[in-house]
Amino acid sequence: MADLTTLTAPEARRLLVRREISARELTRAVLDRLQAVEPDVRAFITLTADEALQQAGGADAALGTPGGDPQGTPLLTGIPVALKDLFCTRGVQTTSGSRILEGFVPPFDATVVARLRAAGAVFVGKTNMDEFAMGSSTESSGFGKTRNPWDLQRVPGGSSGGSAAAVAAGECLLALGTDTGGSIRQPASLCGIVGLKPTYGRVSRYGMIAFASSLDQAGPFSVGVEGSAMVLQAVAGLDPLDATSAPQAVPDYLAGLPGGIKGLRIGVPKEYFVPGTEPDVERLVRAAIAQLAALGAEVGEVSLPYTDYGLATYYIIAPAEVSSNLARYNGTKYGLAALDEPEMVRAMELTRQRGFGDETKRRIMLGTYALSSGYYDAYYLKAQKVRTLIKGDFDRAFERFDVLATPTSPTTAFRLGEKTQDPLAMYLSDVCTLPVNMAGLPGINVPCGFDGGGLPVGLQLIGRPFDEATLLRVAYTYEQSTDHHRRRPGREVMSQGPGVDGGVVPAGGAQETRR
Amino acid sequence: MHLEEDTANLKHVRDATGETYSLMDVNRSGVALMEIVGEPDIRSPEEAGACLRELRAILRYIGVSSANMEEGAFRCDANVSLRPRGAQTYGAKVEVKNMNSFRSVVRALSYEIARQTEVLRSGGRIVQETRGWVEERGVTVSQRSKEAAHDYRYFPEPDLPPLFLDPTWVAEIRARLPELPGPKRTRFMAEYRLSAEEAATLTDSRALADFYEEAVRQGAGPRAAANWMLRDVLRLLNTSGTSIDGSKLTPGHLAGLIALLDDGRLSVRSAPEVLEEVFRTGASPEAVMQGRGLEQVSDSGALEAVVAQVLADGRNGRAIADYRAGKGAAMGFLVGAVMKQTRGTANPGLVKELLAQKLDAGG
């Protein structure tokens, strides 16, 4: 048996159901791998190894019930999953990447966590992220920086960088992240894996620590498209606890994967090859689009003229919602509290001063300003109108096309520290993804090759509202015609990991992948 | 109108040493709260009071709230802005808070109108601000001026998408609504020939109105039932501190009592005593009347003996002589004597008739 941590989720599912491996073996292999590479990758804020082994034991019991039906067990039974640290987990610290929430232990599970639990998932831990999901490199985390498993000198992207890096490094088979302006798709692109942002409303946000409520959406990371379909299947659908979750029926995503893309109309928005797009990125994305055409799709160019305004509009709306959502962190309810200060208002100010990082403070200030009386009309109200225009661009494009194809990120993974001093440069890495959030549409990243330096490049596919099924089918069809997804970071070194008989990988294996 | 959750209540306290501090009562946290904002079309403190009373009655009728102001289940902030005669627009708006009863609302608004009038008359300017009513001193004091007002940075809450109410559901609720206080008052006036004030009192609560109508339905005359309710029943409720639906008195009791009066079996004089015991014990008026021996004696055979006894009593000689001398007023004294003898149970009309017969015959 080869290294279990290189299995994709559907492969693991098949082996588990056939009882060729046990959930405990799989979980132990993943935990050993995690122990070996985590000192380099640093994808996690909190590990829940004991709980994981316990859950794996439960999964084995379910799979191995004498006379039982392993095929009938829930889809994720015994599969190790990592959760971005902004999903509330009952009894397990949840920080949203911020020191202000250090020590906060939620008394309840987010709906997505409860649904994954019900689907049999094994939780290995809570992953690192930009503070309150605000960032594109995971460097704004209050809990250290995560490294890209393809090159430890580079960022994994963000804000769900921990989840993306963990999946890429084999520290889990699947992960859940959130995407407000690209926070699933961009790190998936930079880490060379699949990441899906569902339609706004497709997945419940209950128990998911809010960044920008009108934009946030939870979604999966996986190696291979099928794994993301499995997670979406488990978490999608109406939740009475979230008024923004949608009542639309959830189709069978896995059944919809095969079928090909013959005759499907794919539009290529010309504005998405922005200045600053790396030549390798443009070349590989265009090659991927050509490949889609070769697979039977009808490809044509389309214009989304308001694309230029996406970034500016996003950086008014998102911070405005941040300034409201983050008002609750004043030391009286959760996490950090400046108890050394006796005066109440001063204690709240000190709590926020100490607990929030620079990027968070910057966005609170931006949002506070944009919503102030006298500026509301000029900024927030105008931004909402532009948002409608951006959505109109997409509506018109979807009259002619079923799916749009673009680069996910203009660049491959950049170096740690490269953009931390230049917020605007950092913001630009989401220029292709954030209009999709503004329009509430589903988007997926699928790996489409490697640049000259061996860093992964991602193709973004954008779909109609609630048409994740088509996105997944296009991504799957493309993936099956390439072998990008078979290439894993540093496998030749790191695959000394344990087989079914267990064993320990020496720490620092991932270091070998440094260039 | 908007719906929210209640937060907490601040209580500002001064201790024995004069130190002031604030207590936070969070017992109401999370309780559903509905805020209703009206148009600026109320013209006097009394109108404001009447409007609040009507609103409270409606809320109680439809059972959404106890709407008790003292308990904070019904609260009011009021805006006052004056418009000098001839001016086209209203002056700056002053919000008055911290009023804990209808009476305080009327008093606070009267004070605020007088204060603003005084300021304007003396050439001053009204600034937009929030003022708090200080009940003990009967004044409003400035709490927050617009310059120092918070910029709340309101914006549409993305977590609350537009709410679409199913028209069938709305129709269902509309069909379930009880008759509201206004229409009920009008109907009471027309149907039972009550004055506006009587109708208002009887419809003040749904339970009281239902009690009244049920008594009428069980045969009590609308006029008599209204009289007994407005006078004796309300007094009994007030002094005992019970509510109409918590009392032992039933509409059947009231109808029974009135029937006893109508049949001449119970005297108007004894009736309050009977009602009081019925109210206290829940026994039927008939039983109480019998138990206390208060049934009116209307049997002339039984009364004739008493009449004869009274006329034979030397202490009544003077009155008898006066009557015979044409002083009709003396009859009252003699009737009283018979009533006294029968402990009030004699039918006074019959007694008078028998006395006249005897005296006129013996003359």
Side-chain angles (χ1 to χ4, degrees), chain A residues 431-460:
Chain A
V431 70
C432 297
T433 47
L434 52 82
V436 180
N437 298 73
M438 306 272 272
L441 302 169
I444 192 169
N445 175 75
V446 57
C448 67
F450 296 84
D451 73 359
L455 291 170
V457 173
L459 168 74
Q460 174 177 237

Side-chain angles (χ1 to χ4, degrees), chain A residues 164-388:
Chain A
V167 169
E171 296 177 287
C172 57
L173 267 55
L174 297 167
L176 207 57
T178 60
D179 188 317
T180 305
S183 284
I184 289 173
R185 291 157 292 158
Q186 185 257 17
S189 175
L190 270 49
C191 289
I193 59 173
V194 173
L196 169 68
K197 179 203 104 69
T199 311
Y200 183 81
R202 175 88 287 181
V203 177
S204 167
R205 294 186 297 114
Y206 177 75
M208 186 176 117
I209 293 174
F211 159 15
S213 301
S214 77
L215 301 160
D216 295 346
Q217 186 64 197
F221 289 98
S222 58
V223 171
V225 174
E226 209 176 337
S228 282
M230 288 164 75
V231 173
L232 185 62
Q233 199 74 60
V235 300
L238 181 68
D239 175 10
L241 297 174
D242 175 7
T244 67
S245 76
Q248 273 81 351
V250 177
D252 186 336
Y253 294 115
L254 284 169
L257 290 179
I261 55 170
K262 217 163 197 62
L264 197 90
R265 297 164 306 167
I266 295 178
V268 182
K270 59 178 186 190
E271 291 85 358
Y272 277 63
F273 294 90
V274 296
T277 303
E278 290 173 356
D280 278 356
V281 170
E282 174 152 3
R283 180 176 57 79
L284 290 165
V285 169
R286 291 212 187 271
I289 293 166
Q291 175 77 358
L292 290 170
L295 290 164
E298 293 168 21
V299 175
E301 191 176 75
V302 65
S303 172
L304 303 175
Y306 287 101
T307 301
D308 261 5
Y309 302 100
L311 196 74
T313 308
Y314 178 88
Y315 278 98
I316 288 170
I317 291 173
E321 294 181 12
V322 165
S323 74
S324 169
N325 279 330
L326 269 53
R328 71 191 63 159
Y329 304 107
N330 57 18
T332 63
K333 294 186 197 121
Y334 331 91
L336 188 75
L339 297 173
D340 50 319
E341 168 59 52
E343 202 274 309
M344 184 180 74
V345 173
R346 184 74 198 122
M348 290 180 178
E349 288 171 354
L350 264 180
T351 298
R352 291 168 71 80
Q353 202 176 328
R354 292 173 186 167
F356 288 140
D358 288 348
E359 183 60 24
T360 299
K361 287 174 182 165
R362 181 179 298 123
R363 298 216 195 177
I364 291 173
M365 286 188 276
L366 281 173
T368 303
Y369 181 76
L371 287 178
S372 302
S373 66
Y375 298 98
Y376 180 90
D377 289 357
Y379 292 107
Y380 187 76
L381 198 65
K382 181 162 270 176
Q384 287 291 15
K385 288 175 180 170
V386 178
R387 184 176 183 177
T388 305

Side-chain angles (χ1 to χ4, degrees), chain B residues 246-290:
Chain B
S247 93
K248 290 177 178 157
L249 186 73
T250 66
H253 289 152
L254 184 62
L257 182 83
I258 291 168
L260 291 175
L261 284 161
D262 288 349
D263 294 347
R265 296 177 60 204
L266 182 64
S267 72
V268 174
R269 222 180 96 183
S270 312
E273 189 185 331
V274 173
L275 179 68
E276 197 159 342
E277 187 169 331
V278 171
F279 183 86
R280 198 157 34 78
T281 63
S284 77
E286 173 82 39
V288 171
M289 180 184 74
Q290 300 290 0

Side-chain angles (χ1 to χ4, degrees), chain B residues 17-341:
Chain B
T17 66
E19 184 88 23
T20 59
Y21 58 99
S22 299
L23 295 169
M24 191 183 286
D25 177 359
V26 291
N27 283 306
R28 285 203 310 251
S29 287
V31 169
L33 185 146
M34 169 172 65
E35 183 166 332
I36 301 170
V37 182
E39 293 288 323
D41 49 16
I42 291 176
R43 293 288 175 267
S44 71
E46 292 72 25
E47 196 182 343
C51 173
L52 290 175
R53 279 193 187 87
E54 189 69 12
L55 183 58
R56 181 181 65 173
I58 292 171
L59 294 173
R60 286 178 170 173
Y61 263 57
I62 59 180
V64 301
S65 168
S66 70
N68 193 319
M69 233 179 152
E70 283 74 14
E71 291 165 6
F74 189 82
R75 282 169 265 167
C76 164
D77 299 336
N79 292 291
V80 176
S81 79
L82 298 191
R83 179 170 59 85
R85 213 181 289 277
Q88 291 304 304
T89 55
Y90 286 97
K93 181 179 75 171
V94 173
E95 184 174 11
V96 185
K97 287 177 173 288
N98 203 28
M99 299 162 293
N100 296 323
S101 67
F102 289 125
R103 202 174 140 265
S104 333
V105 171
V106 176
R107 283 181 67 207
L109 296 187
S110 304
Y111 172 86
E112 185 55 24
I113 290 171
R115 186 191 70 83
Q116 291 190 27
T117 306
E118 186 56 37
V119 170
L120 292 174
R121 286 236 164 95
S122 56
R125 200 173 61 88
I126 301 295
V127 289
Q128 184 175 333
E129 62 176 342
T130 300
R131 298 179 70 87
W133 170 245
V134 185
E135 182 77 37
E136 311 81 64
R137 289 164 50 205
V139 298
T140 64
V141 295
S142 183
Q143 288 186 330
R144 198 163 67 201
S145 71
K146 198 195 176 189
E147 287 69 32
H150 289 285
D151 182 355
Y152 286 108
R153 293 180 281 113
Y154 285 127
F155 76 113
E157 165 60 83
D159 280 317
L160 295 175
L163 193 60
F164 296 101
L165 301 180
D166 179 1
T168 346
W169 186 56
V170 174
E172 231 176 82
I173 289 171
R174 181 164 286 143
R176 279 208 310 265
L177 280 182
E179 184 183 29
L180 295 179
K184 197 184 277 286
R185 262 193 318 267
T186 314
R187 184 170 63 79
F188 272 31
M189 288 166 69
E191 201 172 324
Y192 305 123
R193 310 222 155 267
L194 302 178
S195 72
E197 203 185 330
E198 290 168 337
T201 309
L202 285 177
T203 57
D204 187 49
S205 84
R206 212 170 134 185
L208 198 67
D210 287 350
F211 187 100
Y212 171 74
E213 289 210 278
E214 183 57 23
V216 171
R217 207 187 58 78
Q218 295 195 23
R223 171 46 46 199
N227 288 347
W228 281 99
M229 293 273 299
L230 293 168
R231 205 177 47 230
D232 301 80
V233 175
L234 284 183
R235 182 180 50 77
L236 289 168
L237 290 173
N238 283 339
T239 50
S240 64
T242 40
S243 64
I244 188 79
D245 34 5
S247 93
K248 290 177 178 157
L249 186 73
T250 66
H253 289 152
L254 184 62
L257 182 83
I258 291 168
L260 291 175
L261 284 161
D262 288 349
D263 294 347
R265 296 177 60 204
L266 182 64
S267 72
V268 174
R269 222 180 96 183
S270 312
E273 189 185 331
V274 173
L275 179 68
E276 197 159 342
E277 187 169 331
V278 171
F279 183 86
R280 198 157 34 78
T281 63
S284 77
E286 173 82 39
V288 171
M289 180 184 74
Q290 300 290 0
R292 297 194 155 211
L294 291 174
E295 183 164 13
Q296 280 199 138
V297 180
S298 298
D299 168 4
S300 48
L303 284 180
E304 264 172 47
V306 184
V307 167
Q309 211 182 333
V310 165
L311 291 180
D313 191 332
R315 282 172 294 178
N316 298 327
R318 173 98 181 261
I320 293 166
D322 283 353
Y323 178 80
R324 288 192 169 136
K327 291 186 182 162
M331 178 56 99
F333 179 84
L334 294 171
V335 170
V338 175
M339 293 306 287
K340 198 171 165 190
Q341 198 83 326

Side-chain angles (χ1 to χ4, degrees), chain A residues 1 4-27 30 56 58-64 68-81 116-122 172-174 223 226-231 233-234 254 257:
Chain A
M1 177 67 57
L4 294 184
T5 67
T6 63
L7 293 172
T8 64
E11 285 164 0
R13 167 73 179 166
R14 283 186 278 278
L15 293 173
L16 286 164
V17 165
R18 291 206 295 260
R19 311 286 301 139
E20 288 178 27
I21 59 168
S22 73
R24 259 173 303 212
E25 283 163 350
L26 177 60
T27 299
V30 163
D60 281 332
L63 288 160
D69 168 26
Q71 201 74 47
T73 54
L75 214 49
L76 300 177
T77 301
I79 302 203
V81 176
L116 287 176
R117 224 185 262 286
V122 167
C172 57
L173 267 55
L174 297 167
V223 171
E226 209 176 337
S228 282
M230 288 164 75
V231 173
Q233 199 74 60
L254 284 169
L257 290 179

